[in-house]
């Protein structure tokens, strides 16, 4: 049985950042979010925090996962 992907949600700050992105940058962000949803442990932990950071192809995402890794809350995006 394949592993279930996590549901990705966005903090209010990240939603504002998404709204300001051009379509090309949104397209660059999608595979990064897919990678995080498939494996929430992919990013490295930020010091003294539940937050994790993942960088891929010039995209940076700061997020945290619920205890079971079923929900990813994106706090910050940079493309």
């Amino acid at each position: 049985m394949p592993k279930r992907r996590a549901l990705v949600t966005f903090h209010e700050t990240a939603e504002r950042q998404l709204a300001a992105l051009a379509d090309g940058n949104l397209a660059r962000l999608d595979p990064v979010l897919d990678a995080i949803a498939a494996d929430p442990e992919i990013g490295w932990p930020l010091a003294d925090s539940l937050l994790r950071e993942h960088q891929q192809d010039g995209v940076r995402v700061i997020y945290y996962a619920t205890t079971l890794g079923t929900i990813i809350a994106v706090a910050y995006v940079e493309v």
Side-chain angles (χ1 to χ4, degrees):
M1 174 182 245
K3 184 176 176 183
R4 252 180 96 178
R5 298 171 64 79
L7 172 68
V8 177
T9 63
F10 298 92
H11 185 275
E12 185 178 312
T13 302
E15 284 181 348
R16 284 194 301 269
Q17 292 168 321
L18 289 175
L21 291 177
D23 290 343
N25 286 337
L26 285 172
R28 289 177 54 210
L29 177 62
D30 281 343
V32 178
L33 294 175
D34 286 342
I36 293 169
D39 181 10
E41 299 292 318
I42 195 171
W44 61 86
L46 297 177
D48 299 325
S49 164
L50 296 175
L51 295 172
R52 300 181 76 79
E53 179 176 354
H54 178 61
Q55 293 186 31
Q56 176 181 322
D57 300 327
V59 176
R60 179 179 179 220
V61 177
I62 297 177
Y63 66 95
Y64 64 91
T66 58
T67 303
L68 298 176
T70 57
I71 298 174
I72 303 297
V74 175
Y76 176 84
V77 296
E78 188 176 293
V79 181

